[in-house]
Amino acid sequence: MANNELGDLLRARRSGLRPEDVGMTAYGVRRVAGLRREEVAVLAGMNADYYTSLEAGARTP
């Protein structure tokens, strides 16, 4: 199995933040603590599918 250090870092940072921490409004019930991938993508100005593939290790920046 390949080592995905970038994905590990992105997931760790995402799980440590809440929408309120970054000036976003929280909506819906969250099964897991932290920002949703879509929220991170909006903040980063990128497509949510691209961000998801970065976390999965499918693409490199």
Side-chain angles (χ1 to χ4, degrees):
M1 184 177 293
N3 188 6
N4 184 8
E5 292 180 19
L6 176 60
D8 295 341
L9 173 69
L10 292 173
R11 279 186 295 279
R13 294 293 298 147
R14 184 168 59 84
S15 69
L17 293 171
R18 296 174 302 159
E20 299 84 16
D21 296 337
V22 294
M24 298 181 91
T25 303
Y27 61 93
V29 177
R30 293 177 187 265
R31 294 182 295 176
V32 179
L35 291 176
R36 294 181 169 124
R37 287 183 185 96
E38 295 81 9
E39 293 168 337
V40 174
V42 167
L43 291 170
M46 67 173 57
N47 182 286
D49 291 333
Y50 182 71
Y51 177 81
T52 300
S53 67
L54 285 176
E55 263 195 19
R59 299 182 183 166
T60 56

